[in-house]
Amino acid sequence: MSTAAYPVTSPGGHLDRPGFWRAPFSRRTFQQLGYVLSGLPMAVLGFALVVPLFCAGLGLSLTAIGLPVLALLLAVARGLGAAERLRIRTLLGEELPTPPEITVRREGVWGRITGRLADPAGWKAALHQFVMLPWAILSFTLSVTFFCLGWSLALFPAYQWVFGRYTPWDGYRVADWRDSHGVQHVYELTEPSQIAGVCVLGLVFVLLTPQLIRGLTGIHRFAARALLSAND
């Protein structure tokens, strides 16, 4: 089977890491950013499916209906786990081994249900959907904040003239307040040194953003290896 459709990986199973200065413009960084951005809706979907099914199955576990509901939960969790392994392979360049199929020891519908309920991989996949939602929210929030803030500040010299031409301000206004003596204090970015300082601050954020995203996705990788892949 050809692997040309997938990102080139290093012997350790990860995409080759770009240098510090090239990282903000590298394909790998944008793939990791795409993983984080798509991870939030996937995590919300998984949580919204797994938690209600678990609660319903647990509440009905004393009846014959509860076991099929829990079996459905594990089937859904396995499907979500397969989707997560696909996202990791496509966007992070790491191949995770697929957990073994469930073992059915009895024939018939109840045999398949009990086999599903005895599936450790299904329960771990359900746990993954439950515990990773907070981290997905944090990853999304930090990544978007750093990415947008960094580039908006770094490109400030290119659009700072807009404030003086189209607003009542002389430059971008960072503070405006009146003290207890009635004196108005206004601070605006108008000097070349101030504009350059904003740009430098933005470049710092731009350079740090790939490192932040890589650290955040590292936790996703660790959780997926522990809960969604076959253990050696």
Side-chain angles (χ1 to χ4, degrees), residues 5 9 26 41 80 83 94 112 120 127 160 163-164 197:
T9 59
S26 69
L80 292 169
E94 181 173 354
R112 291 193 294 271
L127 178 62
Q160 56 83 25
F163 302 100

Side-chain angles (χ1 to χ4, degrees), residues 2 8 12 21 35 52 58 97 117 136 155 180 206 218:
S2 174
V8 178
W21 303 105
Y35 174 85
L58 191 64
L117 294 176
L155 297 176
S180 58
V206 167

Side-chain angles (χ1 to χ4, degrees), residues 16-216:
D16 292 330
R17 180 180 300 180
F20 179 80
W21 303 105
R22 292 190 302 107
F25 315 99
S26 69
R27 177 184 177 186
R28 185 188 181 209
T29 295
F30 285 96
Q31 286 178 322
Q32 291 177 332
L33 180 61
Y35 174 85
V36 171
L37 296 182
S38 61
L40 179 58
M42 288 295 296
V44 171
L45 174 63
F47 191 88
L49 291 174
V50 165
V51 172
L53 285 174
F54 176 77
C55 293
L58 191 64
L60 297 171
S61 59
L62 297 179
T63 70
I65 302 176
L67 297 183
V69 173
L70 290 176
L72 176 62
L73 157 69
L74 300 181
V76 169
R78 261 191 174 259
L80 292 169
E84 181 64 14
R85 289 193 299 273
L86 175 61
R87 287 199 321 119
I88 290 177
R89 182 175 72 240
T90 304
L91 297 175
L92 301 184
E94 181 173 354
E95 185 76 37
L96 297 178
T98 303
E101 296 295 329
I102 63 172
T103 301
V104 179
R105 303 185 184 278
R106 297 167 52 191
E107 296 183 356
V109 174
W110 283 106
R112 291 193 294 271
I113 290 176
T114 55
R116 179 73 68 180
L117 294 176
D119 176 29
W123 288 108
K124 290 195 295 184
L127 178 62
H128 180 273
Q129 299 302 322
F130 179 76
V131 301
M132 290 306 292
L133 177 61
W135 190 255
I137 295 174
L138 179 65
S139 300
F140 182 95
T141 303
L142 290 179
S143 298
V144 170
T145 300
F146 269 67
F147 183 86
C148 295
L149 180 62
W151 283 108
S152 63
L153 295 180
L155 297 176
F156 182 68
Y159 63 85
Q160 56 83 25
W161 58 270
V162 171
F163 302 100
R165 178 172 298 184
Y166 297 106
T167 71
W169 306 344
D170 294 328
Y172 180 71
R173 184 167 295 181
V174 295
D176 183 1
W177 82 93
R178 188 181 302 274
D179 62 21
S180 58
H181 301 289
V183 179
Q184 188 77 17
H185 298 271
V186 175
Y187 293 92
E188 297 173 339
L189 302 177
T190 57
E191 298 296 328
S193 59
Q194 296 172 332
I195 297 172
V198 171
C199 180
V200 170
L201 179 62
L203 290 175
V204 172
F205 275 94
V206 167
L207 290 171
L208 292 180
T209 297
Q211 318 309 318
L212 171 69
I213 295 176
R214 184 170 69 245
L216 294 171

